[in-house]
Coordinates of all heavy atoms in Angstrom, one line a residue:
D571 N -0.3 -15.9 -13.7 CA 0.6 -16.5 -12.6 C 0.6 -15.4 -11.4 O 0.8 -14.2 -11.7 CB 1.9 -16.6 -13.3 CG 3.0 -17.3 -12.3 OD1 3.1 -16.8 -11.1 OD2 3.7 -18.1 -12.7
P572 N 0.4 -15.8 -10.2 CA 0.5 -14.9 -9.1 C 1.8 -14.1 -9.0 O 1.7 -12.9 -8.5 CB 0.3 -15.7 -7.8 CG 0.0 -17.1 -8.3 CD 0.2 -17.2 -9.8
M573 N 2.9 -14.6 -9.5 CA 4.1 -13.9 -9.3 C 4.1 -12.7 -10.2 O 4.7 -11.6 -9.9 CB 5.4 -14.7 -9.8 CG 5.8 -15.7 -8.8 SD 7.4 -16.4 -9.1 CE 7.1 -17.3 -10.6
T574 N 3.3 -12.7 -11.3 CA 3.1 -11.5 -12.2 C 2.6 -10.3 -11.4 O 3.0 -9.1 -11.6 CB 2.3 -11.8 -13.4 OG1 2.9 -12.9 -14.1 CG2 2.2 -10.6 -14.4
Y575 N 1.7 -10.5 -10.5 CA 1.1 -9.4 -9.7 C 2.2 -8.9 -8.7 O 2.1 -7.7 -8.3 CB 0.0 -10.0 -8.8 CG -1.3 -10.3 -9.7 CD1 -1.5 -11.5 -10.2 CD2 -2.2 -9.1 -10.0 CE1 -2.6 -11.6 -10.9 CE2 -3.3 -9.5 -10.7 CZ -3.6 -10.6 -11.2 OH -4.7 -10.9 -12.0
Q576 N 3.1 -9.7 -8.3 CA 4.2 -9.1 -7.4 C 5.1 -8.0 -8.0 O 5.7 -7.2 -7.4 CB 5.0 -10.3 -6.9 CG 4.3 -11.3 -6.0 CD 5.1 -12.5 -5.6 OE1 6.2 -12.8 -6.2 NE2 4.7 -13.2 -4.5
F577 N 5.1 -8.1 -9.4 CA 6.1 -7.3 -10.1 C 5.3 -6.1 -10.9 O 6.0 -5.2 -11.4 CB 6.9 -8.0 -11.0 CG 8.0 -8.8 -10.3 CD1 7.7 -10.1 -10.1 CD2 9.2 -8.2 -10.0 CE1 8.7 -10.9 -9.5 CE2 10.2 -9.1 -9.4 CZ 9.9 -10.4 -9.0
N578 N 4.0 -6.3 -11.2 CA 3.2 -5.4 -12.0 C 1.9 -5.0 -11.3 O 1.5 -5.6 -10.4 CB 3.0 -6.2 -13.3 CG 4.1 -6.5 -14.1 OD1 4.6 -5.7 -14.8 ND2 4.6 -7.8 -13.9
G579 N 1.4 -3.9 -11.8 CA 0.1 -3.5 -11.3 C 0.3 -2.4 -10.2 O 1.3 -2.1 -9.9
P580 N -0.8 -1.9 -9.9 CA -0.7 -0.8 -8.9 C -0.2 -1.2 -7.4 O 0.2 -0.5 -6.7 CB -2.2 -0.2 -8.8 CG -3.0 -1.4 -9.3 CD -2.1 -2.1 -10.2
D581 N -0.5 -2.6 -7.2 CA 0.1 -3.1 -5.8 C 1.3 -4.0 -5.9 O 1.6 -4.8 -5.0 CB -1.2 -4.0 -5.4 CG -2.4 -3.1 -5.1 OD1 -2.4 -2.0 -4.8 OD2 -3.5 -3.7 -5.5
A582 N 2.2 -3.6 -6.9 CA 3.4 -4.4 -7.0 C 4.3 -4.3 -5.7 O 4.4 -3.1 -5.2 CB 4.2 -3.9 -8.2
T583 N 4.8 -5.4 -5.4 CA 5.6 -5.4 -4.1 C 7.1 -5.6 -4.3 O 7.9 -5.5 -3.5 CB 5.1 -6.4 -3.2 OG1 5.0 -7.7 -3.7 CG2 3.8 -6.1 -2.6
L584 N 7.5 -6.2 -5.6 CA 8.8 -6.4 -5.9 C 9.4 -5.5 -7.1 O 8.6 -5.2 -7.9 CB 9.0 -7.9 -6.2 CG 8.6 -8.9 -5.2 CD1 8.6 -10.3 -5.7 CD2 9.4 -8.8 -3.9
R585 N 10.7 -5.3 -7.0 CA 11.3 -4.5 -8.1 C 11.8 -5.3 -9.3 O 12.2 -6.5 -9.0 CB 12.3 -3.7 -7.4 CG 11.9 -2.6 -6.5 CD 13.0 -1.8 -6.0 NE 12.5 -0.6 -5.6 CZ 13.2 0.5 -5.4 NH1 14.5 0.5 -5.8 NH2 12.7 1.6 -4.9
C586 N 11.8 -4.7 -10.5 CA 12.4 -5.4 -11.6 C 13.9 -5.3 -11.6 O 14.5 -4.4 -10.9 CB 11.9 -4.6 -12.8 SG 10.1 -4.5 -13.0
T587 N 14.5 -6.3 -12.2 CA 16.0 -6.3 -12.2 C 16.5 -6.1 -13.6 O 15.7 -5.9 -14.6 CB 16.5 -7.7 -11.8 OG1 15.9 -8.7 -12.6 CG2 16.0 -8.1 -10.3
F588 N 17.9 -6.0 -13.8 CA 18.5 -5.7 -15.1 C 17.8 -4.6 -15.8 O 17.7 -3.5 -15.2 CB 18.5 -7.0 -16.0 CG 19.1 -8.2 -15.3 CD1 18.5 -9.4 -15.1 CD2 20.5 -8.1 -14.9 CE1 19.0 -10.5 -14.5 CE2 21.1 -9.2 -14.3 CZ 20.3 -10.4 -14.2
N589 N 17.4 -4.8 -16.9 CA 16.8 -3.7 -17.7 C 15.2 -3.8 -17.8 O 14.6 -3.4 -18.7 CB 17.3 -3.6 -19.1 CG 17.0 -4.8 -20.0 OD1 16.7 -5.8 -19.4 ND2 17.3 -4.7 -21.3
G590 N 14.7 -4.4 -16.8 CA 13.2 -4.7 -16.7 C 12.4 -3.5 -16.3 O 12.9 -2.5 -15.7
W591 N 11.1 -3.5 -16.7 CA 10.2 -2.5 -16.1 C 8.8 -3.2 -16.0 O 8.5 -4.1 -16.4 CB 10.1 -1.3 -17.2 CG 9.4 -1.6 -18.5 CD1 8.1 -1.5 -18.7 CD2 9.9 -2.2 -19.7 NE1 7.7 -1.9 -20.0 CE2 9.0 -2.3 -20.6 CE3 11.2 -2.6 -20.0 CZ2 9.1 -2.9 -21.8 CZ3 11.4 -3.1 -21.3 CH2 10.5 -3.3 -22.2
N592 N 8.1 -2.5 -14.9 CA 6.8 -3.1 -14.6 C 5.7 -2.3 -15.4 O 5.9 -1.2 -15.9 CB 6.6 -2.9 -13.1 CG 6.3 -1.6 -12.6 OD1 6.5 -0.7 -13.2 ND2 5.7 -1.6 -11.4
N593 N 4.7 -2.9 -15.5 CA 3.4 -2.3 -16.1 C 2.5 -2.0 -15.0 O 2.0 -2.9 -14.3 CB 2.8 -3.4 -17.1 CG 1.7 -2.6 -18.0 OD1 1.1 -1.8 -17.4 ND2 1.6 -3.1 -19.2
P594 N 2.2 -0.7 -14.8 CA 1.4 -0.2 -13.7 C 0.0 -0.7 -14.0 O -0.9 -0.7 -13.0 CB 1.5 1.3 -13.8 CG 1.9 1.6 -15.0 CD 2.7 0.5 -15.6
S595 N -0.4 -1.2 -15.2 CA -1.9 -1.5 -15.3 C -1.9 -3.0 -15.7 O -1.6 -3.4 -16.8 CB -2.5 -0.7 -16.6 OG -3.7 -1.2 -17.0
M596 N -2.5 -3.7 -14.7 CA -2.7 -5.2 -14.8 C -3.6 -5.4 -16.1 O -3.5 -6.4 -16.8 CB -3.1 -5.8 -13.7 CG -2.0 -6.1 -12.7 SD -0.5 -7.1 -13.3 CE -1.3 -8.7 -13.7
E597 N -4.6 -4.6 -16.2 CA -5.6 -4.8 -17.2 C -5.0 -4.7 -18.6 O -5.3 -5.4 -19.5 CB -6.7 -3.7 -17.1 CG -7.7 -4.0 -15.9 CD -7.0 -3.3 -14.7 OE1 -6.0 -2.5 -14.7 OE2 -7.5 -3.8 -13.4
D598 N -4.1 -3.6 -18.9 CA -3.4 -3.5 -20.1 C -2.5 -4.7 -20.4 O -2.4 -5.2 -21.5 CB -2.6 -2.2 -20.2 CG -3.5 -1.0 -20.3 OD1 -4.7 -1.1 -20.6 OD2 -2.9 0.1 -20.0
L599 N -1.7 -5.1 -19.4 CA -0.9 -6.2 -19.4 C -1.6 -7.5 -19.8 O -1.1 -8.2 -20.8 CB -0.1 -6.5 -18.1 CG 1.0 -7.5 -18.1 CD1 2.2 -7.0 -19.0 CD2 1.5 -7.6 -16.6
I600 N -2.7 -7.8 -19.2 CA -3.4 -9.0 -19.5 C -4.0 -8.9 -20.9 O -4.1 -9.8 -21.6 CB -4.5 -9.2 -18.3 CG1 -3.9 -9.6 -17.1 CG2 -5.5 -10.3 -18.9 CD1 -4.8 -9.5 -16.0
A601 N -4.6 -7.6 -21.3 CA -5.2 -7.5 -22.6 C -4.2 -7.7 -23.8 O -4.5 -8.2 -24.8 CB -5.7 -6.1 -22.8
D602 N -2.9 -7.5 -23.5 CA -1.8 -7.8 -24.4 C -1.1 -9.2 -24.2 O -0.1 -9.3 -24.6 CB -0.7 -6.7 -24.2 CG 0.2 -6.6 -25.4 OD1 -0.3 -7.0 -26.6 OD2 1.3 -6.1 -25.4
E603 N -1.8 -9.9 -23.4 CA -1.4 -11.4 -23.1 C 0.0 -11.5 -22.5 O 0.7 -12.4 -22.7 CB -1.5 -12.3 -24.5 CG -2.8 -12.3 -25.0 CD -2.8 -13.0 -26.4 OE1 -1.9 -12.9 -27.1 OE2 -3.9 -13.6 -26.7
C604 N 0.3 -10.5 -21.8 CA 1.5 -10.4 -20.9 C 2.8 -10.6 -21.8 O 3.9 -11.0 -21.4 CB 1.6 -11.5 -19.9 SG 0.5 -11.4 -18.6
R605 N 2.8 -9.9 -23.1 CA 3.8 -9.9 -24.0 C 5.0 -9.0 -23.3 O 4.8 -8.0 -22.8 CB 3.5 -9.2 -25.4 CG 2.8 -10.2 -26.2 CD 2.4 -9.6 -27.6 NE 1.9 -10.5 -28.5 CZ 0.5 -10.9 -28.4 NH1 -0.3 -10.3 -27.5 NH2 -0.1 -11.8 -29.2
G606 N 6.1 -9.7 -23.5 CA 7.3 -9.0 -22.8 C 7.7 -9.6 -21.5 O 8.8 -9.2 -21.0
I607 N 6.9 -10.5 -21.0 CA 7.2 -11.1 -19.7 C 7.7 -12.5 -20.0 O 6.9 -13.2 -20.9 CB 6.1 -11.2 -18.7 CG1 5.8 -9.8 -18.2 CG2 6.4 -11.9 -17.5 CD1 4.5 -9.6 -17.4
C608 N 8.8 -13.0 -19.6 CA 9.3 -14.3 -19.9 C 8.2 -15.4 -19.4 O 7.8 -15.3 -18.3 CB 10.6 -14.7 -19.2 SG 11.9 -13.8 -20.0
G609 N 7.7 -16.2 -20.2 CA 6.8 -17.2 -19.8 C 5.8 -17.4 -20.9 O 5.8 -16.9 -21.9
Q610 N 4.9 -18.3 -20.5 CA 3.8 -18.8 -21.4 C 2.6 -17.8 -21.3 O 1.8 -18.0 -20.5 CB 3.4 -20.2 -21.4 CG 2.5 -20.8 -22.4 CD 2.3 -22.3 -22.0 OE1 2.4 -22.7 -20.9 NE2 1.8 -22.9 -23.0
M611 N 2.5 -16.7 -22.0 CA 1.5 -15.8 -22.0 C 1.4 -15.3 -20.5 O 2.3 -15.0 -20.0 CB 0.2 -16.3 -22.5 CG 0.4 -16.6 -24.1 SD -1.1 -17.5 -24.8 CE -2.1 -16.0 -25.2
C612 N 0.2 -15.3 -20.0 CA 0.0 -14.8 -18.6 C -0.1 -16.0 -17.6 O 0.1 -15.8 -16.4 CB -1.3 -14.0 -18.5 SG -1.3 -12.4 -19.3
T613 N -0.1 -17.1 -18.1 CA -0.3 -18.3 -17.2 C 0.9 -18.7 -16.4 O 0.8 -19.1 -15.3 CB -0.8 -19.6 -18.0 OG1 0.2 -19.8 -19.0 CG2 -2.2 -19.3 -18.6
T614 N 2.1 -18.5 -16.9 CA 3.2 -18.9 -16.3 C 4.4 -17.7 -16.4 O 4.5 -17.2 -17.5 CB 3.9 -20.1 -16.7 OG1 4.2 -20.1 -18.0 CG2 3.0 -21.3 -16.4
C615 N 5.0 -17.4 -15.4 CA 6.1 -16.5 -15.4 C 7.4 -17.3 -15.2 O 7.5 -18.0 -14.2 CB 6.1 -15.4 -14.3 SG 7.6 -14.5 -14.1
W616 N 8.3 -17.3 -16.2 CA 9.6 -18.0 -16.0 C 10.6 -17.2 -15.4 O 11.5 -16.6 -16.0 CB 10.0 -18.5 -17.4 CG 9.1 -19.5 -18.0 CD1 8.1 -20.2 -17.4 CD2 8.9 -19.8 -19.4 NE1 7.5 -21.0 -18.3 CE2 7.9 -20.7 -19.6 CE3 9.6 -19.4 -20.5 CZ2 7.6 -21.3 -20.8 CZ3 9.3 -19.9 -21.8 CH2 8.3 -20.8 -21.9
K617 N 10.5 -16.9 -14.1 CA 11.4 -16.1 -13.4 C 12.7 -16.6 -13.5 O 13.7 -15.7 -13.4 CB 11.0 -16.1 -11.9 CG 11.7 -15.1 -11.0 CD 11.2 -15.0 -9.6 CE 12.2 -14.2 -8.8 NZ 11.8 -14.3 -7.4
F618 N 13.0 -17.8 -13.6 CA 14.4 -18.3 -13.8 C 15.1 -17.8 -15.0 O 16.4 -17.9 -15.1 CB 14.4 -19.8 -13.9 CG 13.7 -20.5 -14.9 CD1 14.3 -20.8 -16.2 CD2 12.3 -20.7 -14.9 CE1 13.7 -21.3 -17.2 CE2 11.7 -21.2 -16.0 CZ 12.3 -21.5 -17.2
V619 N 14.5 -17.3 -16.0 CA 15.1 -16.7 -17.2 C 15.6 -15.3 -17.0 O 16.8 -15.1 -17.2 CB 14.1 -16.7 -18.4 CG1 14.8 -16.1 -19.7 CG2 13.7 -18.1 -18.7
C620 N 14.8 -14.4 -16.5 CA 15.2 -12.9 -16.4 C 15.2 -12.5 -14.9 O 15.4 -11.5 -14.7 CB 14.2 -12.1 -17.2 SG 14.5 -12.3 -18.9
N621 N 15.1 -13.4 -14.0 CA 15.2 -13.1 -12.6 C 13.9 -12.3 -12.0 O 14.1 -11.9 -10.9 CB 16.5 -12.4 -12.3 CG 17.0 -12.6 -10.8 OD1 16.8 -13.6 -10.3 ND2 17.6 -11.6 -10.4
D622 N 13.0 -12.2 -12.8 CA 11.8 -11.4 -12.3 C 10.7 -11.7 -13.3 O 10.7 -12.5 -14.2 CB 12.0 -9.9 -12.1 CG 12.3 -9.3 -13.4 OD1 12.0 -9.7 -14.5 OD2 13.1 -8.2 -13.4
C623 N 9.5 -11.1 -12.9 CA 8.3 -11.3 -13.9 C 7.9 -9.9 -14.5 O 6.8 -9.5 -14.4 CB 7.2 -11.9 -13.1 SG 7.5 -13.6 -12.4
C624 N 9.0 -9.1 -14.9 CA 8.8 -7.8 -15.5 C 8.8 -7.9 -17.0 O 9.2 -8.9 -17.6 CB 9.8 -6.9 -14.9 SG 9.6 -6.6 -13.1
M625 N 8.5 -6.8 -17.6 CA 8.7 -6.6 -19.0 C 10.1 -6.4 -19.3 O 10.9 -5.8 -18.6 CB 7.9 -5.3 -19.4 CG 6.5 -5.2 -19.1 SD 5.4 -6.3 -20.1 CE 5.4 -5.5 -21.5
H626 N 10.6 -7.1 -20.5 CA 11.9 -7.0 -20.9 C 12.0 -6.9 -22.3 O 11.2 -7.4 -23.1 CB 12.8 -8.2 -20.5 CG 13.0 -8.3 -18.9 ND1 14.0 -7.6 -18.4 CD2 12.3 -9.0 -17.9 CE1 14.0 -7.9 -17.0 NE2 12.9 -8.6 -16.8
H627 N 12.9 -6.0 -22.9 CA 13.1 -5.7 -24.3 C 13.3 -7.1 -25.1 O 12.7 -7.3 -26.1 CB 14.3 -4.9 -24.5 CG 14.6 -4.6 -25.9 ND1 13.7 -3.6 -26.6 CD2 15.5 -4.9 -26.7 CE1 14.2 -3.5 -27.8 NE2 15.2 -4.3 -28.0
G628 N 14.2 -7.9 -24.6 CA 14.4 -9.1 -25.4 C 13.2 -10.1 -25.4 O 13.0 -10.8 -26.3
C629 N 12.6 -10.2 -24.2 CA 11.4 -11.0 -24.1 C 10.2 -10.5 -25.1 O 9.5 -11.3 -25.6 CB 10.8 -11.1 -22.7 SG 12.0 -11.8 -21.6
L630 N 10.1 -9.2 -25.1 CA 9.1 -8.6 -26.0 C 9.4 -8.9 -27.4 O 8.6 -9.3 -28.2 CB 9.0 -7.1 -25.9 CG 8.0 -6.4 -26.6 CD1 6.5 -6.9 -26.3 CD2 8.0 -4.8 -26.2
R631 N 10.7 -8.7 -27.8 CA 11.1 -9.1 -29.2 C 10.9 -10.6 -29.5 O 10.4 -10.9 -30.5 CB 12.7 -8.8 -29.5 CG 12.9 -7.3 -29.5 CD 14.3 -7.0 -29.8 NE 14.6 -7.4 -31.1 CZ 15.7 -8.2 -31.4 NH1 16.4 -8.7 -30.4 NH2 15.9 -8.7 -32.6
H632 N 11.2 -11.5 -28.5 CA 11.0 -12.9 -28.7 C 9.5 -13.3 -28.8 O 9.2 -14.0 -29.8 CB 11.6 -13.7 -27.3 CG 11.3 -15.1 -27.4 ND1 11.9 -16.0 -28.3 CD2 10.3 -15.9 -26.7 CE1 11.5 -17.2 -28.1 NE2 10.6 -17.2 -27.2
D633 N 8.6 -12.6 -28.1 CA 7.2 -12.8 -28.2 C 6.8 -12.4 -29.6 O 5.9 -13.1 -30.2 CB 6.4 -11.9 -27.2 CG 6.6 -12.6 -25.7 OD1 7.1 -13.8 -25.6 OD2 6.2 -11.9 -24.8
I634 N 7.3 -11.4 -30.2 CA 6.9 -10.8 -31.5 C 7.4 -11.9 -32.5 O 6.6 -12.3 -33.5 CB 7.6 -9.5 -31.8 CG1 6.7 -8.5 -31.1 CG2 7.4 -9.3 -33.3 CD1 7.6 -7.0 -31.0
F635 N 8.7 -12.5 -32.3 CA 9.1 -13.5 -33.3 C 8.2 -14.8 -33.2 O 7.9 -15.3 -34.2 CB 10.6 -13.9 -32.9 CG 11.6 -12.9 -33.3 CD1 12.6 -12.5 -32.3 CD2 11.7 -12.3 -34.5 CE1 13.5 -11.5 -32.6 CE2 12.6 -11.4 -34.8 CZ 13.5 -11.0 -33.9
C636 N 7.7 -15.0 -32.0 CA 6.9 -16.3 -31.8 C 5.6 -15.9 -32.5 O 4.9 -16.9 -33.1 CB 6.6 -16.6 -30.3 SG 8.2 -17.3 -29.5
D637 N 4.9 -14.8 -32.4 CA 3.8 -14.4 -33.0 C 3.9 -14.5 -34.5 O 3.0 -15.0 -35.3 CB 3.3 -13.0 -32.7 CG 2.8 -12.9 -31.2 OD1 2.5 -13.9 -30.6 OD2 2.8 -11.7 -30.7
E638 N 5.0 -14.0 -35.1 CA 5.1 -14.0 -36.5 C 5.5 -15.4 -37.1 O 5.0 -15.7 -38.2 CB 6.3 -13.1 -36.9 CG 5.9 -11.6 -36.7 CD 7.1 -10.6 -36.8 OE1 8.3 -11.1 -37.0 OE2 6.8 -9.4 -36.8
G639 N 6.4 -16.1 -36.4 CA 6.7 -17.4 -37.0 C 6.1 -18.6 -36.4 O 6.4 -19.8 -36.7
G640 N 5.2 -18.5 -35.5 CA 4.6 -19.6 -34.8 C 5.4 -20.2 -33.6 O 6.7 -19.9 -33.6
Y641 N 4.8 -20.7 -32.6 CA 5.5 -21.2 -31.5 C 6.4 -22.3 -31.8 O 7.4 -22.6 -31.0 CB 4.5 -21.6 -30.3 CG 3.8 -20.3 -29.8 CD1 2.5 -20.1 -30.1 CD2 4.4 -19.4 -29.0 CE1 1.7 -18.9 -29.7 CE2 3.8 -18.3 -28.5 CZ 2.5 -18.1 -28.9 OH 1.9 -16.9 -28.4
A642 N 6.1 -23.1 -32.8 CA 7.0 -24.2 -33.2 C 8.0 -23.8 -34.1 O 8.9 -24.6 -34.6 CB 6.2 -25.3 -33.8
G643 N 7.9 -22.5 -34.6 CA 8.9 -22.0 -35.5 C 10.3 -21.9 -35.0 O 10.5 -21.9 -33.7

Side-chain angles (χ1 to χ4, degrees):
D571 187 314
M573 281 195 298
T574 304
Y575 288 95
Q576 295 174 343
F577 290 94
N578 296 278
D581 301 319
T583 57
L584 298 175
R585 292 183 159 204
C586 300
T587 60
F588 301 121
N589 63 346
W591 69 93
N592 74 339
N593 189 327
S595 170
M596 284 303 298
E597 291 81 15
D598 290 347
L599 186 64
I600 293 166
D602 200 28
E603 299 176 328
C604 295
R605 280 184 179 78
I607 295 178
C608 287
Q610 188 177 20
M611 300 173 85
C612 293
T613 58
T614 57
C615 165
W616 297 341
K617 187 178 174 188
F618 62 91
V619 176
C620 289
N621 206 35
D622 61 29
C623 298
C624 295
M625 307 284 292
H626 291 275
H627 180 73
C629 297
L630 183 57
R631 290 184 65 236
H632 175 73
D633 289 345
I634 292 168
F635 290 129
C636 293
D637 288 344
E638 292 173 350
Y641 292 106

